[in-house]
């Protein structure tokens, strides 16, 4: 028998987790925008709104200190950040396009170099995904192989039902453990019918065909056509659940400061600028091409996964209306 | 302003009005491409999603016949003419579709010797307004879906264009939301005002979209990209964010044409145009100067006059 949780009990679960000193992160209204933020109570949770930034920042923060340095008695003292202090975390209320992203990013973060900051947060986190019943004409998760009810990446998956409660499915052991520890909030029951999922304007794409086209069209007028209008900002990359490039900067004085890791974006003109002054991606068309190649070819080549979850954030946010779903449709139909 | 007497105040701007502008733009763009006045026209093409449009550089008659103008044509296209951004001008004389607010940027760029008037063919648009962010895109422009900046537009009629597309229409009795918000912030005690901006800047992700769409952010080396030594923290943290936005506001004082593109493109809803407007207000009060209405030889912050207000020197 599937398990059911009412909306009130879902909020009660958050209250309990907060009491257990867990970091609970979920969609929350912050000023005029909804963001994934630490919840202090169940009533903080905003349902039915796709946060402006993706949930990747729970694992890959917008900016984090990785070490600090201080000159003491003439000698430089360097201190690592204590990763054992990262809290146990529960991400609640992420739709499949967000809940699915860490499962994709795990591959690159534990590849030739193990990113212990990301991996430690992953080890200590549980993801409660939620099927998506709201969307707009920028959404295209089905087109890239996900779906509004895809469980990929979730430890516990909730499906909104017509009576306002949620069907729960423990997808992993972490999910089972979360339910087991709070069994009184969950009820047995067949439950009502699920709420209808979102219709999507973009047909399912043939990702194999797209990858093949990309392999054969490193040079193509398409890249210049897009670059004609791309202004080279990082909005698309920064709000993307899958983009994961970062830069490292030492900030502070020569005597006292911090080494910080923070988001970077391939759209920026200086992204690949070498110390020599040479820049292999010196013009915007090479930069935008890299964005598409990275998502739909290189990442697949290395890890067998597509680096896009179809959340549509980049489409909604692009200052100049560049529409990645439209570009993929174009390639798909060639 | 001219044409005041002909003002046609209405409660909604129907699609037919924009269709007429579209026709006029296409006709003009086709003409100047055919007779080789220009090598290309920067205008708008429809987007895949309902009620959206994208900037485009069209170079053929076939493409020019697809140009549109609708309330979704929000972009200030002059950004594509600056050397640092796109430099389409290096290909030859270009045509550009420009709303009144965009004309102010063109005038400002001419003032700053970034553009030469003779290199441009300007198709001015008599613009009744464009959509705000996240509104219903129904085709009909109303008080509900018009952009905040358009509520107080003073340049519906573009001046200094080669041709103008459209007749004059504007929405009646719009609430001046930006002015009201400015007044509300002005009235705050200083600590509260500081907290207001701190809260907004804390959300900044340093995606630099504000800089990248700004026609006046054409510096080839942005202070905020410098890292040897670092002038402004480039990591998205409160201190660096605050520094970045204040540096930018100061840098744009007396230059910003008020197109509010920085605010429109901010994925974090930071009301950046309020800073620009505040700076513009200072310039108006101190020097009786409004940026970008017509090209001038020098802006007030670039020249010294003996009768300048010097009361700030203590």
């Amino acid at each position: 028998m599937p398990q059911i949780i009412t909306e009130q009990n879902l909020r009660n679960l958050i209250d309990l987790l907060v009491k257990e000193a867990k970091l609970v992160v979920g969609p929350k209204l912050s000023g005029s925008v909804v963001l994934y933020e630490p919840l202090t109570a169940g009533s903080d949770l905003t349902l039915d709104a796709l946060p402006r930034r993706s949930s990747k920042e729970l694992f890959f923060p917008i900016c984090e200190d990785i070490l600090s340095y201080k000159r003491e008695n003439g000698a430089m003292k360097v201190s690592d950040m204590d990763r054992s202090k990262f809290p146990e975390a529960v991400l609640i209320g992420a739709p499949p396009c967000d809940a699915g992203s860490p499962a994709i990013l795990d591959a690159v973060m534990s590849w030739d170099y193990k990113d212990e900051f990301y991996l430690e947060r992953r080890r200590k986190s549980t993801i409660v995904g939620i099927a998506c019943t709201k969307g707009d004409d920028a959404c295209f998760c089905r087109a890239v192989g996900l779906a509004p009810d895809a469980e990929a990446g979730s430890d516990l998956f909730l499906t909104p039902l017509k009576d306002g409660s949620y069907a729960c499915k423990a997808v992993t052991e972490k999910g089972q453990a979360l339910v087991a520890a709070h069994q009184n909030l969950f009820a047995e029951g067949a439950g009502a019918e699920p709420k209808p999922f979102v219709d999507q304007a973009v047909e399912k794409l043939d990702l194999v065909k797209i990858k093949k086209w990309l392999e054969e069209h490193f040079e193509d007028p398409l890249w210049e056509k897009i670059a004609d209008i791309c202004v080279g900002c990082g909005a698309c990359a920064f709000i993307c659940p899958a983009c994961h490039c970062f830069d490292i900067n030492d900030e502070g004085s020569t005597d006292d400061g911090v080494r910080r890791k923070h988001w970077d974006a391939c759209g920026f003109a200086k992204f690949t600028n070498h110390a020599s002054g040479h820049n292999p991606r010196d013009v915007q068309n090479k930069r935008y091409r890299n964005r598409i190649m990275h998502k739909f070819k290189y990442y697949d080549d290395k890890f067998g996964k597509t680096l896009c979850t179809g959340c549509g954030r980049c489409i909604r946010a692009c200052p100049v209306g560049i529409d990645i779903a439209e570009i993929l449709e174009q390639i798909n139909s060639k | 302003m001219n044409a005041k007497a002909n003002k046609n105040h209405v409660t909604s701007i129907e699609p037919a009005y924009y269709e007429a502008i579209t026709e006029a733009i296409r006709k003009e763009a086709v003409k100047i491409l055919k007779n080789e006045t220009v090598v290309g026209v920067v205008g708008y093409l429809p987007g895949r999603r309902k009620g959206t449009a994208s900037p485009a550089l069209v170079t053929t008659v076939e493409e020019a016949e697809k140009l549109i103008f609708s309330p979704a044509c929000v972009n200030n296209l002059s950004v594509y003419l600056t050397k640092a951004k796109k430099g389409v001008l290096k290909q030859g004389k270009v045509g550009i579709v420009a709303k009144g607010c965009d004309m102010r940027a063109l005038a400002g760029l001419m003032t700053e010797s970034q553009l030469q008037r003779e290199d441009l063919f300007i198709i001015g648009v008599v613009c009744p307004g464009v959509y705000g962010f996240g509104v219903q895109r129904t085709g009909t422009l109303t008080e509900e879906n018009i952009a905040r900046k358009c509520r107080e537009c003073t340049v519906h009629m573009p001046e200094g264009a080669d041709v103008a597309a459209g007749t004059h229409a504007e929405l009646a009795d719009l609430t001046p939301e930006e002015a009201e918000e400015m007044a509300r912030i002005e009235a705050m005690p200083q600590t509260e005002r500081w907290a207001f901006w701190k809260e907004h800047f804390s959300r900044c992700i340093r995606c630099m979209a504000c800089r990248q769409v700004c026609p006046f952010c054409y510096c080839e080396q942005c202070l905020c990209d410098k890292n040897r030594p670092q002038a402004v923290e480039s990591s998205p943290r409160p201190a660096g964010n605050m520094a970045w936005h204040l540096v930018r506001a100061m840098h744009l004082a007396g230059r910003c044409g008020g197109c509010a593109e920085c605010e429109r493109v901010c994925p974090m809803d930071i009301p950046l145009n309020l800073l620009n407007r505040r700076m513009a207000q200072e310039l108006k009060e101190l020097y009786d100067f409004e940026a970008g209405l017509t090209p001038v030889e020098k802006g007030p912050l670039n020249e010294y006059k003996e009768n300048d207000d010097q009361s700030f020197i203590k």
Side-chain angles (χ1 to χ4, degrees):
Chain A
M1 289 281 267
Q3 296 217 298
I4 301 293
I5 190 168
T6 61
E7 187 185 319
Q8 187 51 55
N9 274 346
L10 180 62
R11 294 185 190 276
N12 293 342
L13 175 65
I14 295 170
D15 287 336
L16 281 173
L17 292 168
V18 171
K19 269 194 200 127
E20 292 166 22
K22 295 214 165 62
L23 170 67
V24 186
V25 171
K28 180 183 171 188
L29 190 63
S30 171
S32 61
V33 294
V34 175
L35 296 172
Y36 286 102
E37 288 202 334
L39 307 176
T40 51
S43 53
D44 281 351
L45 181 72
T46 303
L47 289 158
D48 265 358
L50 184 70
R52 204 59 78 73
R53 303 201 301 246
S54 83
S55 60
K56 75 176 173 194
E57 60 190 280
L58 175 58
F59 312 104
F60 172 42
I62 180 164
C63 178
E64 68 183 324
D65 296 351
I66 57 179
L67 61 81
S68 60
Y69 60 88
K70 198 176 175 68
R71 198 188 300 272
E72 275 172 8
N73 307 322
M76 191 63 86
K77 189 174 169 248
V78 176
S79 320
D80 275 331
M81 290 300 145
D82 185 358
R83 294 189 292 274
S84 69
K85 289 200 176 122
F86 288 173
E88 295 275 336
V90 184
L91 170 64
I92 287 197
C97 56
D98 278 340
S101 86
I104 297 170
L105 294 180
D106 288 349
V108 66
M109 295 297 187
S110 54
W111 175 47
D112 59 344
Y113 179 82
K114 294 203 184 318
D115 187 321
E116 279 304 324
F117 291 87
Y118 172 94
L119 293 172
E120 181 66 6
R121 288 195 177 89
R122 277 290 276 149
R123 276 192 282 275
K124 287 182 170 164
S125 69
T126 303
I127 299 179
V128 181
I130 189 164
C132 185
T133 54
K134 216 178 164 192
D136 65 16
D137 54 2
C139 292
F140 63 105
C141 66
R142 280 193 200 282
V144 292
L146 277 169
D149 59 343
E151 295 162 2
S154 290
D155 296 303
L156 179 68
F157 192 72
L158 309 179
T159 305
L161 304 175
K162 279 185 175 165
D163 67 1
S165 62
Y166 297 85
C168 314
K169 183 176 169 192
V171 185
T172 66
E173 283 177 10
K174 276 183 181 174
Q176 279 169 11
L178 183 69
V179 175
H182 305 89
Q183 193 60 59
N184 59 327
L185 297 175
F186 297 82
E188 296 288 318
E193 260 185 84
K195 280 191 188 165
F197 300 128
V198 189
D199 274 342
Q200 291 186 13
V202 185
E203 296 290 314
K204 192 159 170 43
L205 297 166
D206 183 345
L207 296 171
V208 175
K209 184 181 170 189
I210 289 173
K211 182 164 172 271
K212 186 158 188 299
W213 187 90
L214 291 174
E215 268 158 12
E216 291 161 359
H217 293 83
F218 192 75
E219 302 289 347
D220 192 271
L222 174 72
W223 308 124
E224 273 155 53
K225 201 77 197 159
I226 299 166
D228 270 350
I229 64 165
C230 175
V231 289
C233 74
C236 54
F238 284 5
I239 58 178
C240 171
C243 279
H244 53 267
C245 287
F246 58 84
D247 193 8
I248 291 176
N249 261 293
D250 288 343
E251 296 183 323
S253 68
T254 48
D255 291 329
D256 187 3
V258 177
R259 178 163 295 175
R260 298 193 171 112
K261 168 184 165 193
H262 57 88
W263 295 351
D264 202 352
C266 58
F268 292 148
K270 299 202 169 171
F271 181 71
T272 47
N273 208 19
H274 294 178
S276 66
H278 172 66
N279 190 343
R281 292 190 210 124
D282 53 351
V283 288
Q284 206 60 32
N285 56 29
K286 296 181 186 173
R287 300 195 272 268
Y288 196 86
R289 172 179 65 198
N290 185 69
R291 177 169 170 78
I292 299 284
M293 290 279 181
H294 190 180
K295 290 192 173 295
F296 300 96
K297 174 175 154 52
Y298 306 145
Y299 206 81
D300 193 320
D301 282 345
K302 278 201 166 74
F303 306 117
K305 291 168 197 278
T306 296
L307 196 65
C308 169
T309 64
C311 70
R313 284 189 179 88
C314 58
I315 301 174
R316 291 180 204 98
C318 179
V320 298
I322 295 173
D323 183 334
I324 198 171
E326 188 181 17
I327 293 165
L328 293 171
E329 273 185 325
Q330 257 181 49
I331 297 176
N332 199 53
S333 64
K334 281 185 198 249
Chain B
M1 291 290 293
N2 50 10
K4 276 252 187 227
N6 302 329
K7 267 191 186 173
N8 179 16
H9 282 280
V10 289
T11 54
S12 67
I13 311 283
E14 299 300 320
Y17 183 81
Y18 292 93
E19 282 156 21
I21 298 177
T22 296
E23 279 315 306
I25 289 173
R26 285 180 185 169
K27 209 174 123 209
E28 204 56 42
V30 166
K31 192 172 104 192
I32 56 177
L33 280 167
K34 262 191 183 158
N35 67 17
E36 296 181 354
T37 306
V38 296
V39 292
V41 177
V42 187
Y44 305 93
L45 290 175
R48 169 184 66 90
R49 295 185 299 147
K50 187 174 166 285
T52 62
S54 283
L57 172 64
V58 303
T59 52
T60 64
V61 167
E62 293 71 46
E63 284 177 310
E65 280 167 347
K66 294 184 186 131
L67 289 171
I68 61 161
F69 192 77
S70 75
C73 297
V74 291
N75 305 73
N76 178 352
L77 302 177
S78 65
V79 71
Y80 292 108
L81 304 183
T82 59
K83 279 194 289 283
K85 294 290 167 54
K86 291 293 166 183
V88 293
L89 276 170
K90 62 179 177 280
Q91 301 165 22
K93 182 166 176 164
V94 284
I96 182 166
V97 176
K99 308 183 285 288
C101 50
D102 309 341
M103 292 289 297
R104 295 185 65 178
L106 292 175
L109 288 168
M110 286 176 214
T111 295
E112 297 182 12
S113 305
Q114 299 299 307
L115 293 178
Q116 304 279 343
R117 181 64 183 88
E118 57 270 25
D119 292 338
L120 303 177
F121 187 95
I122 304 173
I123 305 174
V125 173
V126 184
C127 172
V130 294
Y131 290 143
F133 183 72
V135 298
Q136 288 278 330
R137 302 183 302 253
T138 55
T140 300
L141 193 77
T142 64
E143 173 148 22
E144 275 66 54
N145 61 16
I146 193 169
R148 205 155 89 140
K149 68 168 176 177
C150 304
R151 291 172 173 272
E152 292 158 73
C153 176
T154 56
V155 284
H156 289 281
M157 293 293 294
E159 286 181 49
D162 290 284
V163 291
T167 50
H168 202 182
E170 60 184 81
L171 290 174
D173 308 322
L174 292 168
T175 324
E177 284 177 2
E178 262 191 340
E180 286 176 1
E181 182 68 352
M182 288 252 297
R184 190 179 74 83
I185 295 166
E186 272 309 281
M188 286 177 181
Q190 199 177 359
T191 49
E192 215 176 294
R193 209 181 309 148
W194 186 247
F196 170 88
W197 285 110
K198 236 167 111 171
E199 195 275 319
H200 276 296
F201 295 148
S202 72
R203 286 201 308 272
C204 172
I205 52 177
R206 301 292 278 279
C207 69
M208 309 316 253
C210 49
R211 179 183 75 185
Q212 295 306 104
V213 293
C214 178
F216 292 99
C217 273
Y218 57 73
C219 298
E220 289 185 20
Q221 170 73 63
C222 175
L223 178 80
C224 294
D225 281 340
K226 261 188 83 65
N227 62 0
R228 222 174 38 169
Q230 195 179 52
V232 171
E233 278 191 0
S234 55
S235 60
R237 296 174 66 259
N241 293 352
M242 179 72 81
W244 156 239
H245 289 290
L246 295 186
V247 163
R248 189 167 174 276
M250 292 300 165
H251 194 165
L252 286 170
R255 305 171 64 228
C256 168
C259 69
E261 280 283 90
C262 49
E263 176 170 312
R264 175 186 71 82
V265 302
C266 177
M268 291 299 121
D269 283 9
I270 303 173
L272 293 168
N273 201 39
L274 296 178
L275 291 176
N276 300 333
R277 286 193 53 153
R278 185 66 186 79
M279 290 297 110
Q281 194 183 321
E282 291 278 336
L283 266 287
K284 180 79 182 158
E285 283 165 13
L286 288 170
Y287 302 102
D288 192 28
F289 176 79
E290 280 183 73
L293 289 174
T294 46
V296 292
E297 202 169 317
K298 269 184 182 162
L301 299 184
N302 295 344
E303 71 180 328
Y304 171 75
K305 283 184 191 159
E306 287 201 3
N307 60 353
D308 279 345
D309 177 21
Q310 304 191 7
S311 60
F312 68 95
I313 304 170
K314 301 223 163 84

